[in-house]
Amino acid sequence: MKKPKFINTENNLILAVLFVIILFTTSCTAYKKLPYMQTAQNAELLKTVTHQPKIMPNDILSITVNSSIAGAATSFNLPLVPAGISNIVQSSAGTGGGGSLQNYLVDQFGNINFPVLGTINIAGMTLKEAQNYIASLIFPQYISENPIVNIRLLNFQVAVLGEVNRPGTYSSSNGQMTVLDAIADAGDLTIYGKRDNILLVRTDGNGQTKFFRFDIQDKNFINNHELFFLQQNDKLYVEANKAKGNNSAFGTMQSMTLSIIGTSISVISLAVSLYRISK
């Protein structure tokens, strides 16, 4: 009876080591494509920035004027909308059980029709600038003390599309949102999302649409305040990477065929190995 001939274990060990090295190298390369803001250090902090979006045509604003002088600011506030009556423009927060204040729709020229003051143009101003401007029109011409003017932007929303886990439109109650906030709301990018070439579509106050691209893996993009801080009605689009494109090139039948071929090769290899051992 012949002694079984075993496969050369030294060659097998070399092949196994090479396979592990290739697998490890490939895994490291793939991993480097995933993290955001690579090489960022704790010492490299973003300077504190108070960002406020600028008012644009078609924005919906809640504006209230208050004064410590009883009744002095009443004429500068829109009348209440009775509870239960719908309004075409979304109403602001309720004032109690009796209804809520009407809101202002900025027209195509950047104007609003303000009580007592009439038509005023506030397009291009930040909320803080618009508050100060309206207060300067009221005091001291109409009341004897500087009023408190509060403005809220009610239609701040951003659309996130493409390779994210939850595509959709997301809003901000305080009128501020960063790129990272929007991505977090959308459930983060999928592994197929192209992180180094995200598209930002923005329409400015003049109705012009502009396109920007940025690399979220670059630690320096966070210092580009014009892109890092989003504006109302911005749209973020995350393109699919090559891996997603390659996967989409194969249909169900092609995937099944490759699976069957791979299984067949494995079975044949196992049979050949057993045959060599038994000889």
Side-chain angles (χ1 to χ4, degrees), residues 7-260:
I7 299 174
N8 191 320
T9 56
E10 183 178 351
N11 291 339
N12 288 343
L13 181 60
I14 294 174
L15 291 174
V17 171
L18 289 175
F19 176 77
V20 171
I21 292 175
I22 293 173
L23 182 62
F24 179 77
T25 304
T26 304
S27 300
C28 289
T29 303
Y31 170 76
K32 290 179 180 179
K33 297 180 179 179
L34 294 179
Y36 304 152
M37 294 174 289
Q38 297 180 21
T39 72
Q41 303 297 325
N42 290 335
E44 298 175 293
L45 300 177
L46 175 66
K47 293 181 179 180
T48 302
V49 176
T50 302
H51 175 81
Q52 288 194 20
K54 293 184 178 181
I55 298 171
M56 297 191 296
N58 299 317
D59 278 346
I60 302 173
L61 305 175
S62 166
I63 305 177
T64 58
V65 180
N66 297 283
S67 173
S68 60
I69 302 175
T74 303
S75 300
F76 298 97
N77 291 296
L78 290 174
L80 294 176
V81 179
I85 297 180
S86 62
N87 194 5
I88 296 177
V89 179
Q90 178 188 359
S91 58
S92 59
T95 58
S100 56
L101 290 174
Q102 293 182 7
N103 301 312
Y104 298 84
L105 176 64
V106 183
D107 67 20
Q108 60 179 329
F109 303 108
N111 300 320
I112 59 172
N113 189 13
F114 203 83
V116 181
L117 303 179
T119 300
I120 59 176
N121 188 286
I122 56 175
M125 297 182 184
T126 65
L127 301 184
K128 183 66 174 179
E129 291 169 345
Q131 288 173 178
N132 293 337
Y133 176 60
I134 292 174
S136 70
L137 297 177
I138 296 174
F139 169 79
Q141 183 174 355
Y142 294 99
I143 61 177
S144 58
E145 72 167 16
N146 205 2
I148 300 173
V149 180
N150 292 309
I151 301 180
R152 289 183 57 202
L153 181 62
L154 301 180
N155 66 317
F156 192 104
Q157 57 184 15
V158 171
V160 187
L161 311 167
E163 285 298 328
V164 292
N165 288 298
R166 293 192 301 271
T169 301
Y170 299 93
S171 59
S172 170
S173 59
N174 63 358
Q176 294 192 34
M177 184 180 292
T178 68
V179 169
L180 296 180
D181 292 331
I183 290 176
D185 287 341
D188 203 358
L189 276 64
T190 70
I191 60 173
Y192 297 114
K194 188 180 291 186
R195 286 153 171 76
D196 60 354
N197 197 25
I198 296 178
L199 175 65
L200 170 62
V201 182
R202 172 173 293 166
T203 302
D204 62 20
N206 298 320
Q208 295 180 332
T209 300
K210 299 180 180 179
F211 301 89
F212 305 91
R213 291 187 180 273
F214 60 89
D215 181 0
I216 200 173
Q217 294 177 309
D218 182 4
K219 64 178 182 179
N220 294 316
F221 103 97
I222 198 172
N223 291 313
N224 188 341
H225 300 159
E226 290 300 316
L227 298 183
F228 182 68
F229 290 98
L230 299 176
Q231 297 181 9
Q232 59 269 42
N233 302 317
D234 276 354
K235 297 173 180 60
L236 287 176
Y237 175 67
V238 181
E239 296 181 5
N241 57 25
K242 291 183 179 180
K244 179 66 174 290
N246 293 337
N247 289 343
S248 64
F250 294 94
T252 305
M253 292 303 297
Q254 287 88 344
S255 299
M256 291 179 62
T257 301
L258 290 177
S259 178
I260 292 172

